[in-house]
Amino acid sequence: MLEKLPVLGRFLGGNPSDREGWRRMEKMRRACERRPVYRALIGDVVVCRADLARRVLMDNSGALRREPSVWQFGDRQQVPATAVTELNRWLHGAAAGCDVDRAAQIAVDRLAASSGDLHRACLLASLESVAGMLGFDRHPGLAAAARTYIGDVFHAKLVGSQLSDEQKARVRSLSSRVAAMLDGLDATLPSVLRADGVLSGAERGEIYLHAVLSVAGASGVMLAWLACALHLDELAGIDMSAENRALVSSGKPEHVALEMLRLWPPASQHGRRVLQDHRIGPVTALRDDDIVIPVYALHRHPDEWRNPHAFAPQRWQDDPRPPAFMPFSAGLGACIGAQFEIKWLAAVVLRSEVLRSLRPVPIAGWPCANTMFSPPLCRLEPRRRAA
């Protein structure tokens, strides 16, 4: 039996209604409307023009570091490049073989039956929906470890707490136990995650848990945004009164999914570390600077979108997707589950009428802007019983 990590109340290290992250996002959005590229007070170079942002994200000149953080372990150590390729292929293959419609139905059914903390309920519903992708659907111990990692550890970081040293030690212990469980899945795992691979036990477990997070984390966050979009009148500055809420069900599901990812991207910004001095528009980026691509600001920039603060799924009828749309980054550092995420979210939207029976009660009036950009803290009240 896995030792459970502390639950939400003991993870939170301060006021859960702190909105400083949201204020910073809005401040950056306003600054981006005035300047296409600028150096922030803390030294970051902020790139607010779509073409320049894409050039940064797709750079292959060696001027920027672009290792995906999902394949880092320990104290920001990077999995070897050949192993990264193998891990990416593994996840791409798993996503391609997933029955997206069945996965979406599982997520909707699980969430519709949930109560308590909205974020945690959505993360666990998303996790259950993709259990078969990574092989833990038939391994109770591994499934329990994944629930602990996603539902407790990641959930705590999502809503704003920092893990203590003791809690970090427990995560390392969890990673070691996960590694031992992986030995029974060797036939379906890439070699880097096998006992005779290049990583140690705890490292293998940590990377496997990161893989779980890569397919369940953003999906759970977007499921929470959908639940809120169906019930709240205002959502992160966007009017979601009755007329707009109706568009969630009446619009084409893929268009609704794309519009949700535009307005509420789970990754509110992307970053790159500068390795060589070079110019970006009017600013010189110096070695060891951090370049910030403010996705949230770009997705609401008036120069890039018509009526940028309107919930308008119909804007996606005239695909291709505009250059300013980059919820999953771009280039070699792009999210490996991007296409799966869009298909999964569209399939969930198609079944969203089931979620109208939810009763989310906001705890705060502003979204969370921590590990990912997620909706306001809400409590799901138990469903009303039929008379």
Side-chain angles (χ1 to χ4, degrees):
M1 189 84 177
L2 283 172
E3 178 186 3
K4 290 292 286 181
L5 295 178
V7 295
L8 171 64
R10 293 194 292 276
F11 263 124
L12 290 172
N15 185 351
S17 63
D18 181 14
R19 52 181 163 182
E20 189 56 38
W22 170 236
R23 286 173 172 160
R24 286 195 298 268
M25 284 178 61
E26 276 290 283
K27 182 179 180 180
M28 184 176 287
R29 179 186 63 79
R30 292 190 294 270
C32 283
E33 291 183 6
R34 299 191 298 270
R35 294 173 289 177
V37 183
Y38 68 93
R39 186 176 289 279
L41 291 177
I42 59 174
D44 294 343
V45 177
V46 184
V47 181
C48 307
R49 208 176 80 191
D51 61 330
L52 294 177
R54 284 197 169 270
R55 190 182 307 168
V56 166
L57 294 175
M58 302 182 75
D59 174 81
N60 59 5
S61 69
L64 299 167
R65 180 180 293 139
R66 57 182 176 188
E67 294 93 342
S69 60
V70 67
W71 301 136
Q72 291 178 356
F73 59 91
D75 188 19
R76 303 180 74 87
Q77 297 179 71
Q78 188 72 31
V79 172
T82 54
V84 167
T85 300
E86 186 183 14
L87 287 164
N88 287 342
R89 286 174 178 167
W90 168 55
L91 281 188
H92 277 302
C98 179
D99 184 338
V100 175
D101 291 321
R102 182 175 180 275
Q105 189 67 58
I106 291 171
V108 168
D109 289 346
R110 171 66 185 266
L111 180 57
S114 297
S115 60
D117 180 88
L118 171 68
H119 285 74
R120 191 172 194 273
C122 289
L123 288 171
L124 292 178
S126 168
L127 179 68
E128 186 173 324
S129 80
V130 296
M133 282 180 59
L134 299 181
F136 60 83
D137 56 327
R138 297 179 302 277
H139 194 305
L142 202 53
R147 285 195 297 271
T148 297
Y149 185 72
I150 299 297
D152 291 343
V153 178
F154 179 69
H155 170 256
K157 294 163 71 174
L158 184 68
V159 300
S161 92
Q162 297 293 322
L163 301 185
S164 69
D165 290 342
E166 179 184 356
Q167 290 160 348
K168 290 177 181 177
R170 291 183 179 180
V171 172
R172 288 193 292 271
S173 176
L174 176 65
S175 297
S176 295
R177 295 199 295 273
V178 166
M181 297 179 211
L182 292 181
D183 295 343
L185 300 176
D186 269 359
T188 60
L189 292 176
S191 61
V192 66
L193 291 179
R194 297 177 190 170
D196 58 354
V198 297
L199 300 179
S200 73
E203 293 166 356
R204 287 195 302 137
E206 185 177 352
I207 291 298
Y208 181 84
L209 290 172
H210 287 181
V212 172
L213 176 59
S214 73
V215 295
S219 298
V221 168
M222 294 313 300
L223 185 57
W225 282 113
L226 176 61
C228 289
L230 290 168
H231 294 91
L232 303 186
D233 288 336
E234 186 274 337
L235 201 52
I238 303 301
D239 176 14
M240 290 304 299
S241 53
E243 182 178 355
N244 284 337
R245 289 201 300 271
L247 293 175
V248 175
S249 300
S250 63
K252 185 176 179 180
E254 183 176 350
H255 295 167
V256 174
L258 292 171
E259 185 69 347
M260 289 178 61
L261 287 164
R262 181 184 75 85
L263 291 171
W264 309 303
S268 63
Q269 62 184 42
H270 307 309
R272 294 288 186 272
R273 175 59 62 89
V274 178
L275 300 177
Q276 301 172 10
D277 296 1
H278 65 287
R279 297 281 293 182
I280 304 177
V283 175
T284 298
L286 304 175
R287 180 171 178 165
D288 292 331
D289 279 345
D290 285 314
I291 298 179
V292 174
I293 308 299
V295 179
Y296 170 81
L298 278 168
H299 282 190
R300 300 188 182 203
H301 201 297
D303 290 347
E304 304 290 349
W305 308 89
R306 183 178 180 183
N307 298 325
H309 296 282
F311 180 75
Q314 62 274 17
R315 75 172 77 242
W316 297 96
Q317 292 173 356
D318 300 324
D319 250 351
R321 297 161 199 171
F325 184 68
M326 52 186 76
F328 304 108
S329 190
L332 293 179
C335 173
I336 49 184
Q339 292 308 310
F340 171 81
E341 173 63 34
I342 294 172
K343 292 177 182 178
W344 182 92
L345 183 56
V348 168
V349 168
L350 183 64
R351 295 158 174 80
S352 61
E353 279 300 311
V354 176
L355 301 180
R356 292 191 183 275
S357 63
L358 292 176
R359 299 173 60 199
V361 178
I363 298 173
W366 47 86
C368 301
N370 301 300
T371 299
M372 287 187 178
F373 181 42
S374 60
L377 296 177
C378 290
R379 181 181 67 256
L380 287 175
E381 296 289 343
R383 296 174 65 180
R384 295 187 181 93
R385 294 182 179 180

